[in-house]
């Protein structure tokens, strides 16, 4: 087991290197980099201040009507580190990432780790509620569907689950905003808390938080538990048909004892082993549109804005963070096989 874990940890190094290398190469060919972004903002400032004058931005001026002086352009490139060749910049970046130094944002003048920690609570809020509600509904529903397979209940819940799965989360989010946020005004349109959050008591804070999180979580949850519910149902149906279940029933055990004493553990193997991936996936996948739609300042929105603004340290830093978490999660998911089913041996 130790040798397997060590081998998997060592394999993470070339994987991370490959992801960073591929992203870095792609970035070199993307138009509108940080230098161009800076010049465009300086030009817009110059136009607002009179058109022919000069605008100051970050301590370096842009001559709106005369172009950019070569010395100033060299200063701007040096400011963002683009005065060095790409290979040197990549080697420097890999060395920093090896020590978990993700650099500093070009446009927010903050350490990338600080930005991630600052935005993480919003993503954690969405992820935790999405994960627990999804599994809390999907697993019991899947068991009930397996026990009542072929019944009207099974057919009706299948139609509802598949209908919910077919509706994209952002489309549902728009509908919730229009109906419950706009027309009925039952829920707030944006944010995770109210403006007077600090003045509220602990009970009022909890109520206010749940009031704000209700629509975003609903938009994320509706489609996410469909796969788990159907997987649970099919896993239970497969186990129920096996010989050991017939033997347990022949011994006089009740249906409840058969289901939860014998079938439950074996049927949940594919679901339990997927816990780590689903847990992390609830944090970082599918939350971008929801965070943007409901104006929630989380990691998804941070990643999107950094791509739009060509804030490369944030883009590469968050990608490194997400990839590292994904690789560790995959390892934990594989180790869960051994925990759930002792017959599995990595040897």
């Amino acid at each position: 087991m130790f040798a397997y874990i060590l081998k998997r940890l060592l394999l993470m190094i070339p994987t991370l290197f490959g992801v960073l290398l591929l992203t870095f190469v792609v970035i070199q060919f993307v138009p509108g980099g940080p230098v161009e972004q800076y010049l465009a903002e300086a030009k817009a400032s110059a136009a607002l201040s009179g058109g022919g004058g000069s605008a100051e931005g970050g301590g370096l001026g842009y001559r709106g009507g005369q172009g950019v002086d070569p010395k100033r352009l060299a200063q701007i490139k040096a400011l963002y580190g683009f005065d060095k060749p790409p290979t040197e910049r990549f080697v420097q970046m890999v060395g920093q990432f090896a020590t978990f130094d993700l650099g500093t944002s070009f446009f927010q003048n903050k350490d990338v780790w600080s930005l991630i920690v600052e935005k993480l609570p919003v993503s954690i809020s969405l992820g935790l509620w999405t994960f627990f509600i999804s599994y809390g509904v999907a697993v019991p529903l899947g068991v009930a569907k397996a026990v009542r397979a072929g019944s009207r209940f099974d057919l009706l819940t299948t139609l509802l689950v598949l209908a919910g799965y077919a509706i994209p989360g952002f489309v549902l989010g728009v509908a919730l905003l229009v109906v419950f946020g706009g027309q009925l005004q039952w829920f707030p349109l944006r944010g995770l808390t109210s403006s007077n959050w600090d003045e509220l008591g602990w009970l009022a804070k909890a109520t206010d938080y749940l009031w704000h999180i209700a629509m975003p979580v609903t938009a994320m949850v509706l489609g996410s538990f469909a796969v788990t519910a159907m997987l649970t149902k099919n896993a239970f149906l497969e186990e129920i048909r096996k010989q050991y279940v017939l033997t347990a029933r022949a011994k006089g055990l009740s249906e409840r004892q058969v289901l939860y004493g014998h079938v439950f553990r074996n049927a949940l193997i594919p679901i339990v082993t997927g816990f780590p991936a689903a847990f992390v996936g609830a944090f970082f996948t599918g939350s971008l549109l929801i965070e943007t739609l409901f104006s929630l300042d989380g990691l998804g929105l941070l990643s999107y804005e950094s791509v739009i603004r060509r804030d490369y340290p944030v883009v590469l830093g968050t990608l490194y963070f997400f990839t590292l978490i994904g690789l560790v999660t995959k390892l934990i998911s594989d180790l869960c096989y051994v925990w759930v089913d002792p017959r599995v041996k990595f040897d």
Side-chain angles (χ1 to χ4, degrees), residues 15-17 60 170 177 257 312 325 335-336:
T15 304
L16 282 170
F17 182 83
L60 297 170
F170 70 93
L177 280 174
Q257 289 175 317
Y312 294 148
I325 288 181
L335 294 177
C336 285

Side-chain angles (χ1 to χ4, degrees), residues 17-28 30 315-316 319:
F17 182 83
V19 170
L20 292 175
L21 176 61
L22 181 61
T23 308
F24 186 84
V25 171
V26 171
I27 282 176
Q28 306 311 306
V30 175
V315 172
L316 292 166
L319 177 68

Side-chain angles (χ1 to χ4, degrees), residues 11 29 32 38 43 49 85 110 113 121 127-128 135 170 188 203 206 214 224-225 258 268 289 295 308 335 347:
L11 285 174
F29 298 98
Y38 174 88
K43 183 176 181 180
S49 63
K110 288 184 178 180
W113 273 120
L128 283 176
Y135 273 84
F170 70 93
L203 183 58
S224 62
F225 69 83
V258 172
L268 285 187
L289 293 173
S295 300
I308 295 299
L335 294 177
D347 298 336

Side-chain angles (χ1 to χ4, degrees), residues 40-63:
E41 292 178 4
K43 183 176 181 180
S45 299
L48 290 175
S49 63
S54 63
E56 295 294 329
L60 297 170
Y62 173 81
R63 297 177 183 177

Side-chain angles (χ1 to χ4, degrees), residues 220-305:
M220 291 184 66
V221 162
L222 190 62
S224 62
F225 69 83
V227 174
T228 307
M230 300 306 295
L231 180 62
T232 303
K233 174 194 171 182
N234 294 333
F236 263 81
L237 285 177
E238 183 180 353
E239 292 296 323
I240 286 173
R241 298 189 182 103
K242 290 185 177 179
Q243 185 65 40
Y244 74 89
V245 176
L246 297 176
T247 304
R249 287 171 175 166
K251 290 181 178 180
L253 297 179
S254 65
E255 193 67 18
R256 184 180 183 87
Q257 289 175 317
V258 172
L259 283 176
Y260 294 99
H262 294 75
V263 177
F264 192 76
R265 179 172 180 176
N266 294 328
L268 285 187
I269 288 177
I271 300 169
V272 171
T273 52
F275 270 6
F279 186 75
V280 176
F283 287 82
F284 305 119
T285 59
S287 61
L288 167 58
L289 293 173
I290 299 300
E291 289 181 9
T292 305
L293 189 62
F294 290 93
S295 300
L296 302 175
D297 195 11
L299 287 176
L301 189 58
L302 173 67
S303 301
Y304 172 74
E305 290 179 344

